[in-house]
Amino acid sequence: MKRKDVLKYVQEKRETSLDELRREFHLHSKSDQKRLFHILDDLIMENKVVLSGERLIFQDSSSKKQDRVRSRKEKTDEKSKKHQRSPLRENGRRKNFDASEDFEYILAVHHIRNEFPPKALAQAEAIPLEISQKELALREDLREKMVFTIDGPDAKDLDDAVSIEPMENGWRLGVHIADVSYYVPRHTPLDKEALKRGNSFYFINRVVPMFPERLSNGICSLNPGEDRLTMSVFMDVDRQGNVKSYRIVPSVIHSQYRLTYPEVEKILQGKTVAEDPLLQKSLLEMKELFRILYEKRLREGSIDFDFREQKCELNEWDEPVKFWLKDRLDAERLIEEFMLLANQSVARFLSEKTEYAMYRVHEEPSEEKMRSFLAMALRFGHKFRTHTLPPPQELQRLLEEVKDKPYKELLNQMLLRSMQQARYQNENLGHYGLGFEYYTHFTSPIRRYADLTVHRLVKTHLGIAKISYTEKELATIANHISSQERIAMDAEREFYKLKAVRYMQGKEGMVFDGVISGVTSFGIFVSVRDTGIEGMVRLADLPEYFIYRAESHSVVGAKSKKIYQMGQSVRVRLVRANVKKQHLDFEIVEDEV
């Protein structure tokens, strides 16, 4: 693939896309796709090609003539914008490759679809924004109720809302989920494209949505002050946390508030009070119910991993300016708990109505992986009653014991790695990690195709729609969306890794406190404590020969007998940050933490 060939192709097509270029030039490897990005970047810099959204447009002489008749202000603004270059550029040329290319690079490598077919977009545009009176008459009207959403500050696809009513011996909890299936019939262009994607993809400051924005951020999103069609799950819960009864109904809501986790956290902690007394009362009732549900779930065998979430802030050039680890808020746990309860109730409903549906399953871990974890826990002084597969309650007890220990993150990560990967299945196999006999995904149909499928199945078995799936169709969908979920996880992880390496550029020679997060036959992985950024100390770079001991996750110096093992605190110096290889090289500073 040569520069002139790419230019000729764009010139002949007049307008094209990255996907079309990849297919035309048969680009499959990472190196080929990087080469394409470099060629296109040069053509854009030379004003031979213009990037408009996701489309590449050839800039011919007539375009240049039109430039001459533009106002002096427009040309001045454009010229000014051209000179606002990223600090990672020198004289308009790359140092390595530009951070703004990372997003397209990740999409290309993982073959993620970023453009919607014309038929899908046309279907989305044809959906009326107004809800018909006929449809409203068929639904339970909740528009006067205190219903609201709680999400992250930057979230735009709001697919769940909550409500609560105190009862004599408990509460009636309402979980209201965007009724995407009403707007997206099966086998339509929007449905076919959503199935291909399987889920939305999230990349720090960008989203590749499962549906076009008109749906995901518009008519389906439970935005405040707007009438929205929903599927509501009402659960009557007693003061011991038992669901005494539930019902699932099509509904219409009018979200009263769009709340964020940080502001709800302040109310839950008593640091502030909501201006609306009814909202304040609802949040405090929810806090009480959340505590009961959470403690009951852990008692009954649910494993609650206590991870801090790695966060990253990007500047206007998509360059990382800050990395940090964020603790989970009670406001986030509250919504998570309510969604878990709704998903359980829906799974129980489907299991009573049909032999095959769409379940979220999680099987028991293998004994071999669990033995490795138990050995590591024992090394830190934590004992179990068994050497094979302990009951989930025992594992949760351990997580509680290490809550304030410096190796908390390590044992949480090791336990997670010893688990099977959760997946979708057309038959109910239970969920080991959550300790649930019945579980599915119902609460996020804007961003997960599994949930959309579950909504259709629920409607069918409620008798309000006829959307049939065969056993084989459900199995095929389950396998595909499980695969797409893994692609999303890998892509999002790689995007973070790429930004992490960029963040560490220029910090060569600096020393960081870290913990050994992994040991292999070729190197020691170290995670920086404050940021969670991971790099490697190569065994070949150590001052003597080290012997790898897989069973103890350690390496031992052949002469000195010095030991480096998983979970050990170390101080490391950054030697190099290689963006192209997405790799950080550390060296151990002998004065350990």
Side-chain angles (χ1 to χ4, degrees), residues 8 47 58 131 288 358 453 566:
K8 183 181 178 183
N47 288 323
F58 178 69
I131 304 169
E288 187 177 355
M358 183 67 68
T453 304
M566 207 165 167

Side-chain angles (χ1 to χ4, degrees), residues 37-48:
F37 293 152
H38 292 173
I39 291 171
L40 291 175
D41 191 59
D42 289 338
L43 293 175
I44 291 168
M45 291 291 296
E46 295 165 14
N47 288 323
K48 291 182 178 176

Side-chain angles (χ1 to χ4, degrees), residues 57 142 225 272 286 335 505:
I57 303 168
L142 307 173
T272 187
M286 287 180 178
I335 288 298
Q505 274 188 311

Side-chain angles (χ1 to χ4, degrees), residues 51 53-54 99-104 107 114 200-209 314-318 492 495 499:
L51 183 64
E54 303 297 331
S100 62
E101 298 173 328
D102 292 345
F103 177 67
E104 285 293 341
L107 297 190
N114 195 26
S200 297
F201 300 79
Y202 294 86
F203 298 99
I204 302 178
N205 62 340
R206 303 196 198 190
V207 179
V208 178
L314 305 178
N315 66 14
E316 59 189 301
W317 296 289
D318 278 354
E492 291 160 21
F495 190 72
K499 295 302 183 186

Side-chain angles (χ1 to χ4, degrees), residues 310-328:
Q310 189 181 50
K311 303 291 286 184
C312 173
E313 181 184 332
L314 305 178
N315 66 14
E316 59 189 301
W317 296 289
D318 278 354
E319 295 161 0
V321 293
K322 184 181 179 184
F323 260 87
W324 72 100
L325 293 172
K326 172 185 163 295
D327 289 314
R328 286 165 69 200

Side-chain angles (χ1 to χ4, degrees), residues 83-141:
H83 287 293
Q84 291 176 359
R85 303 223 179 271
S86 157
L88 284 187
R89 285 182 172 268
E90 286 178 341
N91 300 321
R93 308 297 293 179
R94 296 180 208 86
K95 296 178 182 178
N96 293 323
F97 60 97
D98 199 272
S100 62
E101 298 173 328
D102 292 345
F103 177 67
E104 285 293 341
Y105 166 73
I106 293 293
L107 297 190
V109 168
H110 293 276
H111 306 289
I112 296 170
R113 305 165 68 87
N114 195 26
E115 297 177 30
F116 287 96
K119 287 184 179 179
L121 291 173
Q123 182 187 346
E125 287 299 320
I127 294 173
L129 298 178
E130 296 294 322
I131 304 169
S132 69
Q133 290 300 315
K134 181 181 177 182
E135 183 58 35
L136 290 174
L138 298 172
R139 293 174 176 262
E140 189 160 327
D141 194 339

